[in-house]
Amino acid sequence: MFEDHEQIRQAATECMCNLVTCKEVQQRYMADGNDKMKLLVLLCGEDEEDLQIAAAGALAMLTAAQKKLCTKLTLVTTQWLEIMQRLCLHDNPSVQHRRLVIINNMLNSDDSELAKKLIESEMLEILSVIGKAEDNPKRQEVIDVARTCLVKAMDLGLIKPFSTPS
């Protein structure tokens, strides 16, 4: 994954995406003193779409399996929020879906400060735009995850439900 060669880096990241379901691998990502999480976050910000998909898929599975990694993700690089926001607006629904799953995992991580930080950022606007979109079979997974994130934010008391004036 640290390789300069694009295809090797992509293949290694795809392999790691498959390996993160193993507890041993998850423990390595949770351990202090390594840059494994940082690398995955930064790979999500690369231009190569297949690399973004693999890295975001690995992060989605890691943050779903280990809630502590949701917080760790925010500590490994100052660019994490910018990368998250940019990929939530990605044209490719596969990239967008994986990124929104990570946001959903972060909102469900029991870290109220993290949830608050996400919702106080431009992420709320991004989630709102995606969640308000009309149902669309090609993008439905993306729309549904954005709506789930908004419902969780309401449940946490971070946003109020939209009400129409009477």
Side-chain angles (χ1 to χ4, degrees):
M1 288 173 60
F2 289 94
E3 234 355 273
D4 284 335
H5 190 279
E6 198 172 289
Q7 291 174 321
I8 293 174
R9 186 174 54 204
Q10 179 183 327
T13 306
E14 289 172 359
C15 181
M16 187 55 67
C17 184
N18 294 327
L19 289 172
V20 296
T21 58
C22 300
K23 290 280 184 209
E24 284 180 39
V25 175
Q26 294 169 14
Q27 294 305 319
R28 290 183 184 188
Y29 276 89
M30 289 178 60
D32 292 329
N34 67 62
D35 286 335
K36 292 180 187 324
M37 281 295 285
K38 181 177 184 175
L39 179 61
L40 277 180
V41 173
L42 293 176
L43 289 176
C44 286
E46 290 288 315
D47 292 333
E48 178 56 40
E49 203 167 274
D50 290 334
L51 182 60
Q52 290 175 344
I53 290 170
L59 280 176
M61 289 189 284
L62 282 167
T63 55
Q66 301 290 338
K67 290 183 177 188
K68 291 179 182 175
L69 290 177
C70 292
T71 302
K72 185 173 182 178
L73 184 153
T74 68
L75 303 174
V76 295
T77 176
T78 57
Q79 298 169 312
W80 72 270
L81 187 57
E82 177 189 329
I83 292 169
M84 294 282 178
Q85 290 171 341
R86 192 179 45 178
L87 293 182
C88 283
L89 296 170
H90 202 283
D91 291 337
N92 183 331
S94 294
V95 174
Q96 199 176 26
H97 179 254
R98 284 163 177 78
R99 185 57 57 205
L100 288 168
V101 168
I102 296 167
I103 298 301
N104 188 50
N105 292 341
M106 294 171 95
L107 289 171
N108 285 288
S109 71
D110 302 328
D111 183 341
S112 58
E113 286 304 310
L114 174 55
K116 186 176 177 184
K117 185 172 189 168
L118 282 170
I119 297 304
E120 288 178 348
S121 73
E122 292 175 11
M123 189 60 70
L124 175 58
E125 187 176 345
I126 294 167
L127 291 171
S128 296
V129 168
I130 297 168
K132 288 179 183 175
E134 288 187 29
D135 288 348
N136 176 345
K138 293 180 180 177
R139 304 188 71 77
Q140 199 58 48
E141 281 184 321
V142 172
I143 295 167
D144 289 345
V145 176
R147 290 174 182 168
T148 301
C149 290
L150 291 168
V151 168
K152 181 62 179 180
M154 281 190 288
D155 292 347
L156 294 170
L158 298 173
I159 60 174
K160 301 214 180 314
F162 178 75
S163 58
T164 55
S166 5

